[in-house]
Every structure is written in structure tokens, then in C-alpha cells.
Amino acid sequence: MSENYAKETICIQSGWKPGNGEARVLPIYQSTTFKYESSEQMGRLFNLEESGYFYSRLQNPTNDCVAAKICELEGGVAAMLTSSGMAATFYAVFNICGAGDHVVMSSTVYGGSHNLLTVTMKKMGVETTVVDPDADYETICQAFRPNTKCVFGESIANPALVVLDIEKFAKAAHAHNVPLIVDNTFPTPINCNPFKWGADIVTHSTSKYMDGHAMALGGCIVDSGNFDWAAYPDKFPGLCTPDESYHGVVYTERFGKAAFITKATSQLMRDLGSCQSPQNAFLLNVGLETLHLRMPRHCENALKVAQFLEGNDKVAWVNYPGLKGNKYYDLAQKYMPNGTCGVISFGLKGGRKAAEDMMEKLKLAAIVTHVADARTCVLHPASHTHRQMNEEQLKEAGVAADLIRLSVGIENADDIIADLAQAIAD
Ligand SMILES: *Cc1c(COP(=O)(O)O)cnc(C)c1O
């Protein structure tokens, strides 16, 4: 949108712009393919000489409208949807890293991303050095190597709830001529815009707050357009030298600020095919229309629940970056002054056994492998999402064995608290 609308207006109005007589609501282009009058035009599309749709493995108009909305919410220049948050993380990294390259990653990132980088991408020849997000600037700088291609972190780590010092990481990345990629799933662009603080690429699992109703899996990559790939052609040959699979196109020359997203779409989507289903993109768009209403409520409820837990004598510890006195309160105030997210973690004095007993007694909060939707839900990462990690890795990831991850929904806060109170009581 050319107008400078506020986020609330972008949530509702951005993306789909119907012409005269067209559907008011974003249509679902439930079509694998698109028709053209001449084979010559089709040829130009395949040469990337003209933009347009030809096959939904690469791009789809419904998806592009939704990506444009998220792009605007983040303040970026180009964006794409992916079939999942994991696909977004993989594509964002793999778009600039291949065999023989290296990544610097915050240790507290989401378990799935940790596995992707340290196990799966390692098999592809990409090495990752894990750094403590709280380490000082100099220590973080020591992790870089000549073949480092990017830095990856999470604005609020799931489930460790560590708030990333985005400026510190951006400074370290830029001092080594590489971009900072930030997974901004938990605060969403309603509460945090990593580009404002120097991040270059943002990724999302749209399966969480953006969709908001636990209905549609999806991901998104947004490019700020700020990283100057062409200044480091030796580091980023994929963007700065001819792509033989497209008759020698040089992405930075032909597409300027859209180079990163165009390459990810035309190469990675073409060859690996993780496009979001247009049905899911439609549902995601409905979710985005209320994101600006839901996020403040998630945060308000989470703060009330965190305060209740803090005052309960069966509770050993509570971690919520919105709580005064929390280790990350100051960083949260800086990077997300309007609120963090709806996710809290805590431990009970009775440890793991007490956690399991409590979870079984909950009536409102359901045990599910999900976070960040309208319904309050709960999970024990050490036995569920992070069970493939050993004790050492759990510690490094900031996941204690007794950690209960509570995703506070947008029900009435008193009802959520009453449910927890009865489940914690003997
Ligand atoms: C869930 C999640 C992912 C993975 O997203 P999927 O949509 O489940 O593939 C990545 N990062 C964070 C922070 C997440 O919470």
C-alpha cells in the first residue's frame, strides 16, 4: 500500500485490492495452473523476463496477497509464503548457504530449527556454530568464520522465552558482512519489528498467532531489502553471479531489492516445492484480520496468569518476559514495549511428576503440541517437542526438565486462572 497506514488498518485492508465488480473478499485461487494466450508470453515468464503466474508450486495469487500483507506489517520490501514455518527457516538459510558454508545460531531457537540447522543441514554440508544469546558482543564475534553466511536467532525463543538482543546480533552479523535472519513468530509484527533494529530477513511460522486459530500450517519469509548482497559477491555467488538454470540471470542485477525473495521463489520453490496451499493462505488472511486485536489480549491474559503463578506457593519459578523482574524484562521493554506474547513457562516445586499430574487435571487448557492460538493450551517440552534432545542440549536450549509451556489464550483470564488453581491444588 502506498499510504502510510497503521498496523490495525494494514491487518484489515492490505493485500487483496479488488477492482470494479471483483470479489470484496480475497478469492482462493484453487488452481494449479494459469492460462496464457501465447506460448511466447509463457516463455517470457519462464525466463523471468515478465512476472506472472504459471504453476502453483512456485507462486499463487492468493498467497501473494497474504504475503504482501505480512510484508507490510513487517516493513519489508518483498515476501513469500511457505507451507510451514520450518520451510520458511530452511529456505531463508539455504537461499544463501550451501555445502561448505557456515551459520552462527542462537542456542535457544525453536527445537525444530535447532535440529534443522545442526543435524539435517549438517548432512548437506552446512556447519552451524551455536552461541549463547546472552553472550557479550566479543564472544559472539568469535563464532564467525570466513565462510559464515548468516546469523539466525529468534526474537522471543520458543519455549525458552529468551528475548534476543537484536541490535547486538545485527551488529555482529554486519561486522562480518552477513545478514541477520530473525524468526519473529512469537511477538508477531504487532509487537516487534526486527527490521527496525537491524535484522535483514524475518521468518515466521504463520501456524501460530498469525493464523491464530490452529487451523492452517504455514510460514513466511520477509526481506527488508536492506542487505547489500552485491557488495559481497564472493560471499553470495548465488545472488550475484549468473544462474545457469535461468539463462544466466543475475538476481541482484535484475531484481534489485527483490533479489533474495525472487531467488527463493524461482529456485527453491521450483526445485523443492513447499508452497503454501491457497486454502491455508485464505485462512491465514482471515486470522491476520484480527491479529491486532488478539495480540494485546494474549499479552494481557498472559501477564495476569504469570502474576497468579508467581503468587502460588506450589510454583517453583515463572518465566514471562512481560513480568517485572524477569531476566529479559528490559530487553522486552526495548524491542516490544507494547507486549511480548501469550506464552509463559513455569515449573512446579514437585518437579516433573507434579507437572504431569497438573496437566492431567486441567479442564480448560488442553494438552496439545501447539502454541499461540486462541485456546489456552499446555505442553511439557522435555517429554514432547524437545524429547529428541539430550540433557546438555536441553540446558543449552533453555528448556528445564520441569518446564511447563503454557500458551495463554484469549478466553476470560479469571477462568484460565481458576482452571490452573484447581489443577495445581492437591
Ligand atoms: C512453530 C515454530 C516454528 C515451526 O513452524 P511450523 O509452522 O510448525 O513448521 C518455527 N519457529 C518458531 C518460533 C515456532 O514457534
Side-chain angles (χ1 to χ4, degrees), residues 83-87 89 109-110 112-113 152 154 156-158 183-186 203-208 216-219 370-371 405:
S83 56
S84 68
M86 288 312 304
T89 306
V109 297
Y110 175 68
S113 307
F152 180 68
E154 251 169 61
I156 303 179
N158 172 13
D183 180 335
N184 196 31
T185 298
F186 265 25
T203 60
H204 283 281
S205 165
T206 63
S207 324
K208 312 294 166 57
L217 214 70
H370 196 251
V371 277
R405 183 180 71 179

Side-chain angles (χ1 to χ4, degrees), residues 25-40:
V25 173
L26 171 66
I28 306 173
Y29 285 84
Q30 193 64 48
S31 182
T32 59
T33 191
F34 301 85
K35 181 208 156 197
Y36 288 92
E37 299 289 336
S38 77
S39 80
E40 192 204 332

Side-chain angles (χ1 to χ4, degrees), residues 63-320:
N63 293 17
D64 280 357
C65 284
V66 182
K69 182 181 277 190
I70 297 171
C71 186
E72 216 176 316
L73 284 170
E74 285 289 10
V77 297
M80 67 196 284
L81 296 189
T82 55
S83 56
S84 68
M86 288 312 304
T89 306
F90 175 55
Y91 279 24
V93 175
F94 196 57
N95 206 29
I96 46 174
C97 287
D101 290 339
H102 175 253
V103 177
V104 173
M105 179 179 82
S106 158
S107 64
T108 53
V109 297
Y110 175 68
S113 307
H114 200 282
N115 262 327
L116 169 68
L117 271 293
T118 61
V119 180
T120 300
M121 289 189 75
K122 192 173 176 189
K123 291 182 192 154
M124 302 167 75
V126 177
E127 289 275 341
T128 293
T129 299
V130 170
V131 296
D132 177 354
D134 297 334
D136 60 25
Y137 176 76
E138 284 71 28
T139 308
I140 291 168
C141 285
Q142 285 164 12
F144 287 80
R145 301 178 189 169
N147 59 341
T148 302
K149 297 299 167 79
C150 66
V151 179
F152 180 68
E154 251 169 61
S155 47
I156 303 179
N158 172 13
L161 302 175
V162 168
V163 176
L164 191 76
D165 189 343
I166 302 171
E167 278 192 317
K168 177 178 72 180
F169 273 81
K171 191 176 156 204
H174 298 158
H176 296 86
N177 305 331
V178 300
L180 171 63
I181 305 174
V182 171
D183 180 335
N184 196 31
T185 298
F186 265 25
T188 83
I190 297 301
N191 285 343
C192 178
N193 282 126
F195 294 158
K196 272 194 197 156
W197 306 98
D200 302 286
I201 309 281
V202 155
T203 60
H204 283 281
S205 165
T206 63
S207 324
K208 312 294 166 57
Y209 290 116
M210 283 192 173
D211 163 53
H213 302 80
M215 289 190 298
L217 214 70
C220 185
I221 307 173
V222 188
D223 182 5
S224 67
N226 293 336
F227 194 83
D228 188 5
W229 312 103
Y232 315 104
D234 296 340
K235 250 191 194 304
F236 305 106
L239 284 156
C240 305
T241 57
D243 177 359
E244 295 314 326
S245 70
Y246 278 113
H247 307 296
V249 64
V250 176
Y251 290 97
T252 45
E253 285 173 10
R254 176 89 62 85
F255 302 103
K257 286 192 180 297
F260 184 89
I261 293 294
T262 305
K263 178 178 178 290
T265 302
S266 53
Q267 276 183 356
L268 302 184
M269 278 299 186
R270 177 195 63 190
D271 299 349
L272 303 170
S274 312
C275 211
Q276 190 168 125
S277 138
Q279 284 274 354
N280 280 12
F282 174 84
L283 292 170
L284 169 58
N285 189 51
V286 176
L288 287 168
E289 288 183 3
T290 58
L291 186 64
H292 62 297
L293 298 175
R294 291 183 284 106
M295 286 313 290
R297 177 60 85 92
H298 277 292
C299 295
E300 188 188 313
N301 280 0
L303 185 59
K304 286 182 187 163
V305 170
Q307 284 163 344
F308 156 77
L309 290 170
E310 235 185 358
N312 187 296
D313 62 8
K314 295 245 166 42
V315 175
W317 57 270
V318 184
N319 184 15
Y320 182 60

